Amino acid sequence: MTIALPAVLDTPAAAALRQTLRDAMAAGGPVTLDASAVERIGQACLQVLAAAEAAAEDAELDFRIVGASPVFADMATLAALDTLIAA
């Protein structure tokens, strides 16, 4: 399942992001996040992504991020999530 991330991933967006990722992982297939539209991302959403990555690993699901915008890539690097970004 491919999920297009919104432009703004701030604290108010974290709960919706968490639920979207839970639903996607419950479906049981690979989860791909398209981060090309992300213009701003905060700590809360980075934590949601880190938790989702750990949950996907525990469930042996493929979890990756494609098309990372420069802003997303910079913040992912700071949060040590850059290994999830597909080249």
Side-chain angles (χ1 to χ4, degrees), residues 24-75:
M25 287 189 280
V31 177
T32 302
L33 305 178
D34 179 353
S36 60
V38 176
E39 297 173 4
R40 186 174 51 184
I41 184 166
Q43 183 65 30
C45 286
L46 288 169
Q47 290 173 331
V48 168
L49 291 172
E53 188 273 332
E57 185 176 321
D58 288 347
E60 298 181 358
L61 297 174
D62 185 38
F63 185 87
R64 76 176 79 194
I65 300 165
V66 297
S69 69
V71 168
F72 187 95
D74 288 347
M75 293 304 291

